[in-house]
Amino acid sequence: MTNVVMSIKPVHMERIKSGVKNHEFRKYVPSRGVDRLWIYTSSAVCALEYVADIDKIVAYPDKIAEDGYGNMEFNMGEKEATYAYHIKSLYRLKKPIHLGELREKFKFTAPQSFFYLDSNVKLKKYLESVEVERVI
């Protein structure tokens, strides 16, 4: 399983966790793909809060179902992003990990694009034992 850490703005996380947004749109796909997406919610939240299971990544001009926020714009080629990551399920960490703790314990830097969780062995080991609760 390929675990990736990405930053997502709070406004988009609100849409994802409410079920309104069911794809995350990006300009890239990590070369090893993505099965699980660990989500660092950016400013003003600044915490690793969620983990999402990704079941497929669609490249434009292929189409996705138009049942979510931004999906129609993706299908019409109106987004800068050319990839749609379908969010199959979403879990919230019972104890989100805030930036100060991430930096202190795990030498974490908020990703500008993404990083493979394998590249931070200590954080990966810690996340394997965190408790989560299903959101969607």
Side-chain angles (χ1 to χ4, degrees):
M1 177 173 290
T2 304
N3 286 265
V4 170
V5 179
M6 284 186 186
S7 296
I8 297 180
K9 293 178 182 177
V11 65
H12 297 303
M13 270 317 307
E14 287 297 322
R15 290 177 181 135
I16 291 169
K17 73 181 185 182
S18 71
V20 171
K21 184 176 178 188
N22 55 20
H23 287 80
E24 175 59 16
F25 303 102
R26 296 288 163 144
K27 295 179 186 178
Y28 52 82
V29 174
S31 61
R32 297 188 326 212
V34 178
D35 298 304
R36 180 161 282 171
L37 180 63
W38 293 87
I39 301 169
Y40 173 81
T41 309
S42 60
S43 186
V45 175
C46 300
L48 191 60
E49 295 188 295
Y50 296 94
V51 58
D53 291 322
I54 306 298
D55 65 349
K56 63 181 171 179
I57 299 172
V58 175
Y60 181 82
D62 290 349
K63 307 295 185 214
I64 59 176
E66 293 189 357
D67 61 346
Y69 180 86
N71 293 12
M72 185 172 16
E73 292 84 355
F74 176 83
N75 287 341
M76 295 172 63
E78 295 176 355
K79 289 196 158 291
E80 289 183 31
T82 53
Y83 298 97
Y85 296 59
H86 182 251
I87 298 167
K88 180 172 75 171
S89 54
L90 181 72
Y91 302 87
R92 186 176 196 283
L93 278 66
K94 287 192 174 181
K95 294 182 182 176
I97 312 165
H98 293 274
L99 183 57
E101 182 179 357
L102 287 164
R103 284 181 176 155
E104 183 180 319
K105 292 183 177 177
F106 307 106
K107 308 286 188 247
F108 180 91
T109 303
Q112 294 300 308
S113 58
F114 74 92
F115 69 82
Y116 292 107
L117 190 55
D118 288 347
S119 69
N120 189 326
V121 177
K122 192 173 179 182
L123 179 58
K124 180 182 178 189
K125 184 173 175 112
Y126 179 81
L127 291 176
E128 287 171 354
S129 65
V130 298
E131 290 186 48
V132 297
E133 55 193 359
R134 189 166 185 148
V135 177
I136 55 172

